[in-house]
Amino acid sequence: MSTAEEFKAKGNAALQSGKTSEAIEHYTSAINLDGSNHVYYSNRSAAYLKKGDAVNALEDAEACIGLNPSFTKGYSRKGAALHALKRYNDSIAAYESGLEKFPGDQALKNGLESVKKEKDGPSYGGGMGGGMGGGFPGAPGGGLFGPEMMARLAMNPKTRPYLNDEDFMKKIKMIQSDPNALTTMLGDPKIMEAFQVMLGGNVEIKTPDEMKEDMAATKEMKKEAPKKEESKPEPMEEEEEDLSDLTPEELEIRENKKKSIKAKENGNALYKSKKFKEALAAYDEAIELDPTSMTFHSNKAAVYLTMKSYDDCIACCLKAVEVGKANMAPYEDRAKAYTRCAKAYQKKKDLDKAIEMCNEAQLECYDKATERMMKTMELERRKAAVLAYQDDEKAEEAKQRGNDHFRAKEW
């Protein structure tokens, strides 16, 4: 049976080969064996982002930070995932939070600059012409050298040092501003290597002179060019944990966060098995270990909603929002808690409170599904109001008053 580290190594190899789904499976196996290792969440976050699943990438990034707030890449992962979700302000906050702890980290600086540029400036459309054989997107925040692509450079052991090379980064900025500038830099080995890494390592980039030589050889020899030897994927390098600067209190908090995540995962498994009481106990354990996370309260609310204990569900939702606001939880998570609270009120037939909770959710983070649910509730409320007035006795009284006014000519 493979160990967690062996699964991680398999995941690294798969990710370097561009097999993101396979990488995610291996990292998940590693997490199942050792859910307290922040590196596994960091790597799986990178795999999710490379696959285009920014939501799960964000969740893993937050788990990574929760397990080890002193791990630089956790903040980079979170910032990149939020950037991909177009949550620019949250992404900026994530990068800045990382830079407060690691002011000299170039990857964090580059990520922050990239998201600010996309937020404040217009996106660049179109593609590159010339002899590149097709168009490559040049948008600073979403295409060539965007946050996901820059993350690939940071993950690759060969190209990671380039991010600290001032001359290299100047050229990258030129390409971000003008994608056509790439054609003038194909003679730079670092640029070619970076471009190849960002395209998944399957495209051979050559200088203009090499391209001419290849064309001449093709005409003369009429033979296929020899296949390029595939380079063996190198394992991802991860930073070693540096706990020397942590106080005993901070070490205890860090250890408790690890335990809380294990308790939460245990609760999730129990919930899926419909062992609701045991799941609630597991979430309570997680809350006791880490009272700063709103997720555990939200999970309890989900259990209560399934159990049809609507008052308990509402109390847990409101507690989750309270904890979330106190600890700067993402607006999206707070909105979800309000939405779940609205569903509980709807089950109780309290449509006024349900609609109020929907409005609170929309103020936190707008969501089309919540908007549709709120409109359905408003329609239900109008129908209930109409039915409330269909009282035969009151209708008869109103009719008699009308007749009296008519006879008295009180039009």
Side-chain angles (χ1 to χ4, degrees), residues 204-226:
E204 184 177 4
I205 304 298
K206 299 182 178 181
T207 65
D209 290 338
E210 288 172 334
M211 292 177 185
K212 290 178 182 178
E213 291 174 4
D214 282 355
M215 290 175 66
T218 302
K219 290 179 181 179
E220 293 174 5
M221 299 169 61
K222 301 291 184 180
K223 294 181 180 181
E224 292 184 0

Side-chain angles (χ1 to χ4, degrees), residues 14-15 17-25 27 46-48 50-51:
L15 187 59
S17 301
K19 301 174 182 177
T20 53
S21 296
E22 183 180 327
I24 290 168
E25 288 180 8
Y27 292 139
Y48 273 129
K50 190 172 182 180
K51 188 180 180 182

Side-chain angles (χ1 to χ4, degrees), residues 48-65:
Y48 273 129
L49 188 60
K50 190 172 182 180
K51 188 180 180 182
D53 186 352
V55 173
N56 278 316
L58 175 60
E59 184 175 335
D60 276 354
E62 289 178 334
C64 174
I65 294 172

